Amino acid sequence: MTEIDTPKPAAAMPSPTADFEVASLKNPDYMRKFDRVIDDLQDVYSHKIRPLEKAYNYEHFSSSAPLGNDDIAAKPMVLLIGQYSTGKTTFINSLLKKSYPSSHIGVEPTTDRFVAVMDNPTDRIIPGNAAAVSSALPFKGLDKFGQAFLSRFQVSQTPSPVLQNFTIVDTPGILSGDKQRDRGYDYTSVIEWFAERADLVLLLFDSHKLDISNELKAAIHALKGHEEKVRVVLNKSDMVNQQQLMRVYGALMWSLGKVVHTPEVMRVYLVSIWLERPPNAFDDCRTLLDSEKKDLLMDLQQLPINAAIRKVNEIVKRARLARVHALIMAHLRDQMPSFYGKAAALKQLSDNLPHEFKAVSKKFRLPMGDFPDVEKFREALYGMKFEQFGALNEKLLMASDEALGTDLPELLQRLPHHSSFTGTTARPELDSDDEDLENDDPKQPLKRNLTRTGTRSRYAPVKPERDMSAIIYNIVLFTLVLFFTTVVGGGIAMKMGWVDGMGPLIEFLKPQV
């Protein structure tokens, strides 16, 4: 029998570990280009977007803390949310092919804290207080939730090829009834913080637990604005037969339809993840469940590939919102009186925020979808002093517009096109700057940070322009002061007899006054 006629065995589904190794370690060229894009993305944000946020106190009006370089360069993050005993910890251990430090599995609520599972050469646990202040970890913003939360947060590190590509965040199982009120911290706000930074959010349901408690409903509402990241996982699907599975799937979609108010249908994976498969599991849907599990693993495998695209997208979204916020604050400042009645004027503006938002939208041709929630903005506006905000800074707005119109689209174009499973990287279209970088040393500063003339960094900090009217005003004022000082001072000196010989000069200057 010739080689071409040799029957080939059916290709088995590759293990998660093997696939993730292909996606990263076998593509150093992709990772090199990825790192360069991330470096330039950090420059664009810190030099052209962050100054606008800082000038108008953007973080006070939103839940978004300022982004540091560690936040932008952080690995992709997967957030797991679900009721207790839906298989969140089992899902992590199945991916890692082992248990992570401090993991425990049982039918009762076992995970009573937020756990970030990360890669490290050795097993270790970092308490929440230490993790929130560590410059090597992307969790600095968590200290705003207080000690009650930090005592319920930890980082579990373990060596794993899977964790070299992304971080997994396990959350406490959501309870129902009065038990959910005893956490001691704002669970929904914490979920919102992690969802904003996550690349993928998995909502896990048990085939026998489809009810959505009040706390789970609030957690799902906290995902508003991040619907593109959310995937639903119906776990333990082999614990019901094929006919029952169809009914369970329909009941789940009906329950989600009452909570998730989006016209799009959420992607639902029907899987059954066990460390040890129970003997009473059904096999009539095994082919379907294996196919769904493969699709879920493919979604996870593509996270490192799509991480840079998502980061650019998040910076674009943040820049748009910060720009709208700056225009709103400048508009409200212009409506305030100069001296008296500021408290009454602020209350009136606060009461008429919808009208003011429409005025700003009409004046600057901004979509209303980019404006913040009225109630949240009104709450943040309480007690603010507009004296601390300057007038509309055209220079900062121009810098943010340049980032949105030029810099960020260029970074998106420079991302390499990666083939998910073949381990090859297609060569993207390069401009003249990128062509110079094909064979350069990755440790050297990037030449693309220079403009076409090579004289100045494209992402250099914006220097405010001098106000010519203020300069002319100061020159005229100085001239007048010098003139009157000379006339008056000279006249006094002559009268007192201090200076001789200045009479002709004084007589000459008097008619000019």
Side-chain angles (χ1 to χ4, degrees), residues 162-430:
V162 175
L163 296 177
Q164 291 178 4
N165 295 272
F166 53 77
T167 297
I168 306 176
V169 178
D170 195 4
T171 61
I174 296 177
L175 305 176
S176 59
D178 295 335
K179 296 180 181 179
Q180 64 190 16
R181 303 176 183 174
D182 301 330
R183 296 192 185 274
Y185 59 89
D186 192 342
Y187 178 84
T188 304
S189 296
V190 176
I191 290 293
E192 185 177 359
W193 189 93
F194 277 106
E196 183 178 350
R197 290 155 179 79
D199 295 77
L200 184 67
V201 180
L202 297 181
L203 284 176
L204 276 80
F205 289 89
D206 189 327
S207 59
H208 291 93
K209 296 178 182 177
L210 300 180
D211 60 307
I212 299 179
S213 64
N214 292 335
E215 190 175 40
L216 180 56
K217 181 179 179 180
I220 294 176
H221 285 167
L223 304 177
K224 183 178 180 181
H226 308 287
E227 290 84 1
E228 75 281 358
K229 305 177 184 177
V230 180
R231 307 288 186 272
V232 178
V233 178
L234 180 57
N235 196 18
K236 305 179 185 180
S237 296
D238 59 355
M239 299 307 296
V240 294
N241 60 35
Q242 183 177 9
Q243 184 180 18
Q244 292 173 332
L245 182 59
M246 294 176 61
R247 295 173 178 172
V248 168
Y249 177 80
L252 175 61
M253 298 302 293
W254 179 82
S255 298
L256 288 174
K258 296 174 61 178
V259 179
V260 182
H261 304 292
T262 57
E264 298 84 6
V265 178
M266 302 185 72
R267 176 65 167 97
V268 179
Y269 294 104
L270 306 177
V271 300
S272 185
I273 302 174
W274 303 98
L275 295 180
E276 294 183 7
R277 186 184 175 198
N280 60 338
F282 290 88
D283 287 327
D284 50 353
C285 293
R286 181 58 49 194
T287 302
L288 171 64
L289 299 185
D290 289 343
S291 177
E292 289 284 287
K293 182 178 180 180
K294 184 177 180 180
D295 290 345
L296 176 58
L297 292 178
M298 184 181 300
D299 214 351
L300 292 171
Q301 291 159 3
Q302 292 175 344
L303 277 181
I305 302 168
N306 298 326
I309 299 177
R310 190 199 68 83
K311 290 179 186 295
V312 174
N313 178 70
E314 289 298 320
I315 296 296
V316 169
K317 181 167 65 174
R318 190 180 180 103
R320 287 173 60 92
L321 297 180
R323 184 179 184 276
V324 172
H325 172 77
L327 294 174
I328 292 174
M329 297 305 295
H331 171 77
L332 295 179
R333 181 183 183 275
D334 292 341
Q335 307 304 311
M336 294 291 291
S338 301
F339 299 102
Y340 302 106
K342 293 184 177 181
L346 179 60
K347 185 179 184 306
Q348 183 178 2
L349 289 174
S350 179
D351 294 338
N352 297 330
L353 274 182
H355 173 75
E356 302 298 336
F357 282 4
K358 290 181 180 178
V360 176
S361 173
K362 183 178 180 180
K363 181 178 180 181
F364 297 100
R365 299 181 181 179
L366 302 173
M368 290 301 298
D370 287 347
F371 281 73
D373 180 77
V374 173
E375 294 301 326
K376 291 184 178 180
F377 192 90
R378 180 180 289 121
E379 182 180 354
L381 194 62
Y382 179 76
M384 292 296 296
K385 295 182 179 180
F386 283 89
E387 293 82 357
Q388 60 184 309
F389 300 104
L392 189 61
N393 193 321
E394 297 287 349
K395 187 63 177 180
L396 294 180
L397 285 177
M398 289 177 61
S400 65
D401 290 344
E402 183 180 3
L404 286 170
T406 304
D407 300 327
L408 295 175
E410 285 184 3
L411 292 180
L412 198 60
Q413 291 295 325
R414 278 170 36 203
L415 288 173
H417 303 282
H418 189 277
S419 178
S420 300
F421 303 105
T422 60
T424 60
T425 304
R427 186 180 187 276
E429 295 292 332
L430 299 177

Side-chain angles (χ1 to χ4, degrees), residues 495-513:
K495 186 174 182 180
M496 300 297 295
W498 294 342
V499 180
D500 295 329
M502 295 188 62
L505 176 61
I506 300 301
E507 293 298 328
F508 173 77
L509 293 176
K510 281 182 179 180
Q512 310 298 326
V513 178

